Amino acid sequence: MSLQGSATASRAKQTFVLYPLRFQQRELHKSAWTANTLRGAFGAALRRLQPDAYARYFAPQLSEGPSGLATPPRPFVFRVRENEVGLNLFAVNEEALSAFSKGMGELGFDLMEAAAPLCLSLEPPARSVTKLRVRFLSPTEIDRGADDVEQVEFSAVARRLRDRISTLRALYGTGPLDVDFAAFGAASDSIRTVHSELKHERAERLSKATGQRHPLSGFTGFAEYEGDITMFVPYLDAACYTGVGRQTVWGKGEISVEEI
């Protein structure tokens, strides 16, 4: 699908478009990257190579857009798998693609295959879904400062994901979601948590630029939800690419979803 085709499809119905990029490290086992350390090194490389792209995509300032945001979300997340790195890029344009490819190339990573945008439908599936399991693969923080979480309500996950997708679209894509936010939230309140096994993970990052330490804590594990989940399934599928909750750009909030 062309970029123009993706944009047209996005206007025609509710969709979320991204580049699901994959990079291979040229010298295997040269560096043991994490999503956080790779983010920092990539930012330094991009700032050196393309200052304008750095300001636009890596360190954006909120001049306009959704109210209540102190800092706009970055249009990307890293997914590190040994010597292969996934980079989900939510600014779907040639400028961003070129800048991110060059930045990764500077770090010794090559794009594994031709980049093609992925257009995810946010329309409910035809089938009925009444029970599913969400696995929180990396530390996840839905509510700021929440500690030692024993259970995470579906409504909290759904609301954060709704806001994240809408904000990413508004800032970098085809515009905010055309949905009734209040009705979406109210519908999510009816979904029950039937079982969960969560544990708290404690971690932190050290900023080389400021010397400050920032917490990267959150919960991992899984939660099983039951109810009329059908309308939320495409948003959860999109979350497998975007992550959910706070500090996703540092590797937090990675999830997977399975129907049960």
Side-chain angles (χ1 to χ4, degrees), residues 9-252:
S10 296
R11 296 188 187 97
K13 64 179 183 178
Q14 293 290 77
T15 60
F16 185 72
V17 185
L18 70 141
Y19 277 126
L21 308 176
R22 292 192 303 145
F23 293 86
Q24 179 73 48
Q25 193 170 19
R26 295 186 200 116
E27 297 182 36
L28 300 185
H29 309 294
K30 181 179 179 180
S31 300
W33 295 102
T34 66
N36 178 49
T37 59
L38 184 58
R39 181 207 63 87
F42 172 80
L46 187 62
R47 186 173 189 174
R48 183 173 62 255
L49 292 170
Q50 299 194 22
D52 290 344
Y54 172 87
R56 186 173 298 113
Y57 302 117
F58 193 88
Q61 301 300 311
L62 191 62
S63 58
E64 59 182 53
S67 62
L69 285 177
T71 304
R74 276 53 172 169
F76 65 94
V77 294
F78 286 110
R79 297 289 180 250
V80 178
R81 303 287 187 269
E82 294 184 355
N83 296 304
E84 181 179 318
V85 170
L87 170 59
N88 296 330
L89 178 60
F90 312 123
V92 186
N93 59 70
E94 297 293 348
E95 178 196 54
L97 176 61
S98 175
F100 277 73
S101 297
K102 289 179 180 177
M104 290 297 289
E106 184 75 1
L107 299 181
F109 287 90
D110 294 320
L111 192 61
M112 294 177 63
E113 55 191 38
L118 174 64
C119 185
L120 301 174
S121 173
L122 297 177
E123 301 294 331
R127 68 187 186 283
S128 177
V129 180
T130 59
K131 191 173 183 180
L132 54 74
R133 179 183 297 116
V134 178
R135 294 190 182 276
F136 302 95
L137 305 176
S138 66
T140 302
E141 185 181 1
I142 299 298
D143 297 317
R144 182 186 293 270
D147 198 18
D148 296 329
V149 174
E150 294 183 0
Q151 181 170 300
V152 57
E153 298 299 333
F154 183 83
S155 59
V157 175
R159 283 178 166 89
R160 289 300 296 266
L161 182 55
R162 170 205 64 191
D163 295 348
R164 176 159 169 74
I165 289 176
S166 185
T167 302
L168 288 170
R169 278 184 40 134
L171 294 176
Y172 306 108
T174 55
L177 290 173
D178 182 18
V179 298
D180 186 328
F181 275 45
F184 186 100
S188 71
D189 290 335
S190 67
I191 309 302
R192 304 178 303 278
T193 306
V194 293
H195 181 64
S196 64
E197 295 183 14
L198 303 174
K199 63 178 181 179
H200 193 73
E201 305 281 353
R202 300 184 185 278
E204 64 179 13
R205 64 176 287 268
L206 176 64
S207 172
K208 293 183 178 179
T210 66
Q212 293 181 318
R213 294 185 179 275
H214 302 277
L216 291 179
S217 301
F219 59 84
T220 57
F222 70 88
E224 296 175 355
Y225 300 106
E226 191 172 67
D228 187 3
I229 308 176
T230 307
M231 68 176 290
F232 302 105
V233 168
Y235 291 86
L236 290 165
D237 288 341
C240 295
Y241 294 94
T242 67
V244 65
R246 298 187 64 246
Q247 301 174 327
T248 52
V249 75
W250 289 336
K252 293 175 61 174

